[in-house]
Amino acid sequence: MTEPHKATPDNALEAPAQIETAILAGGCFWCVEAVFRELDGVVKVESGYCGGTRETADYQQVCTGRTDHAEAVRISYDARRISYEDLLKVFFSVAHDPTQKDRQGNDRGRQYRSAIFSVDEKQRAAAMAAIERLTRDQFFKDPIVTEVVTEHPFYPAESYHNNYAACHPSQPYIAHVATPKVEKLRRYFRHMLRDEPPP
């Protein structure tokens, strides 16, 4: 006797996650992290330092602006749910101002530079194409100064930096700089937001 057919649960039909990595620098990593944590498909966002050496990859030294690090975020994302190109759209239009060289607002120094640390040639090509398109369409009044470089080692920041904006929403810098970016994201990229609270 044949057993009755059992329906396959919906989640059993789902393909496994395709986790990829993006490394972006756009000023204070507290603010950049706060923006990308909101996106559906983003699994993890880590604050850290990219572009310098391991020996000087700590907050006190990076803050001097003399270590050649950039405050950066390493984004782990499910490429089945959000594309690298979509991450770049948010990076250029919400997370920071890519026309400011070695600064973001009142934060000044090379550690606050705009940079994309591509992990492979595909990412590099996508980043260059995005910059060329934004330049051609005159999306910004001033030239884009974002550096596109091959990946440097990423050094995780001290643990207290991670998820800083969510943990300190009333801190003045967060309230005046990070929160408006998140609000802009929610206003213009509602279709890309996660349904559940960020991890």
Side-chain angles (χ1 to χ4, degrees):
M1 179 171 153
T2 305
E3 290 190 11
H5 174 73
K6 294 181 180 179
T8 304
D10 289 342
N11 58 5
L13 299 175
E14 293 180 2
Q18 183 182 332
I19 304 301
E20 298 185 10
T21 300
I23 301 176
L24 305 172
C28 175
F29 46 29
W30 296 344
C31 303
V32 179
E33 181 196 58
V35 168
F36 284 101
R37 288 181 74 251
E38 298 271 320
L39 297 176
D40 182 47
V42 169
V43 178
K44 185 178 183 180
V45 187
E46 304 169 85
S47 291
Y49 313 107
C50 206
T53 66
R54 181 181 301 277
E55 291 72 25
T56 56
D58 67 77
Y59 194 61
Q60 294 303 318
Q61 293 190 74
V62 171
C63 280
T64 68
R66 297 193 296 269
T67 68
D68 202 42
H69 290 92
E71 288 195 12
V73 296
R74 180 166 60 186
I75 304 165
S76 300
Y77 65 99
D78 183 352
R80 295 184 308 109
R81 296 164 60 192
I82 188 169
S83 68
Y84 185 69
E85 288 77 7
D86 281 337
L87 295 178
L88 292 180
K89 287 179 185 177
V90 171
F91 176 68
F92 282 115
S93 59
V94 176
H96 82 309
D97 181 349
T99 69
Q100 296 187 357
K101 185 171 179 59
D102 294 341
R103 61 179 281 251
Q104 283 296 302
N106 292 325
D107 293 329
R108 297 172 183 269
R110 183 150 171 76
Q111 69 272 33
Y112 298 117
R113 67 186 180 274
S114 173
I116 297 170
F117 296 93
S118 58
V119 303
D120 55 29
E121 182 55 34
K122 182 179 178 182
Q123 285 193 359
R124 182 183 181 281
M128 296 302 297
I131 292 172
E132 290 172 7
R133 183 170 56 254
L134 291 169
T135 300
R136 182 186 65 241
D137 295 344
Q138 298 182 323
F139 191 83
F140 299 102
K141 181 180 67 174
D142 298 315
I144 294 173
V145 296
T146 304
E147 300 174 13
V148 180
V149 295
T150 54
E151 182 187 9
H152 287 263
F154 178 90
Y155 306 107
E158 296 81 354
S159 60
Y160 69 87
H161 290 295
N162 287 301
N163 202 16
Y164 190 90
C167 294
H168 305 85
S170 60
Q171 199 256 29
Y173 183 90
I174 297 301
H176 290 93
V177 181
T179 300
K181 293 175 186 287
V182 173
E183 291 174 345
K184 183 178 180 181
L185 176 78
R186 292 173 179 172
R187 186 162 63 250
Y188 293 108
F189 290 90
R190 185 184 303 273
H191 62 289
M192 291 172 58
L193 300 180
R194 60 175 67 249
D195 294 328
E196 73 282 2

